[in-house]
Amino acid sequence: QVQLVESGGGLVQAGDSLKLSCAASGPTFSSYLGWFRRAPGKEREFVAAISWSAGSAHYGDSVKGRFTISRDNAKKTVYLQMNSLNPEDTAVYYCAAKTGLGYEDSYEYWGQGTQVTVSS
């Protein structure tokens, strides 16, 4: 059973940066680790994903050029560097892991989420 624990959320101002971390424990058989977010009143949105083995990264359209996903295999940790934050980025951010193909859906394991609030 893979367990995921997010950290690094908080309250920032528009234009600021924030870095989220997701520490994984348990079997490291995941193919992708991803970040998703859910804003109040909205559906869950794909933010970014990274291949655990190859390190290839993928991003949702709303964060391309501003967010960067990375991983440290030795620490079993995935990061999300968020720059140029704006109020529309306010959401609960979730880390997720999966074992199958593809990177945008069908994630099997989820963290508890961390709140990111961006004030204008």
Side-chain angles (χ1 to χ4, degrees):
Q1 181 84 4
V2 176
Q3 293 184 322
L4 305 168
V5 179
E6 304 99 332
S7 62
L11 172 63
V12 297
Q13 294 186 330
D16 285 351
S17 298
L18 202 61
K19 187 173 185 177
L20 305 182
S21 299
C22 174
S25 61
T28 53
F29 50 78
S30 301
S31 58
Y32 279 96
L33 274 86
W35 287 97
F36 292 77
R37 66 187 183 185
R38 187 189 296 272
K42 295 186 177 181
E43 293 189 354
R44 186 175 65 200
E45 177 187 11
F46 168 74
V47 175
I50 189 165
S51 166
W52 193 243
S53 57
S56 54
H58 308 272
Y59 298 94
D61 289 340
S62 62
V63 306
K64 281 180 182 177
R66 299 188 299 123
F67 290 12
T68 302
I69 190 171
S70 61
R71 89 252 192 261
D72 185 326
N73 290 43
K75 295 182 178 180
K76 294 187 182 181
T77 300
V78 63
Y79 305 97
L80 186 68
Q81 176 67 46
M82 306 185 293
N83 298 329
S84 302
L85 286 162
N86 58 64
E88 289 68 42
D89 296 314
T90 295
V92 177
Y93 284 71
Y94 297 91
C95 177
K98 65 176 296 181
T99 57
L101 299 176
Y103 59 84
E104 280 196 87
D105 54 19
S106 302
Y107 280 74
E108 298 140 282
Y109 306 99
W110 293 84
Q112 82 287 353
T114 185
Q115 176 70 48
V116 173
T117 303
V118 184
S119 63
S120 58

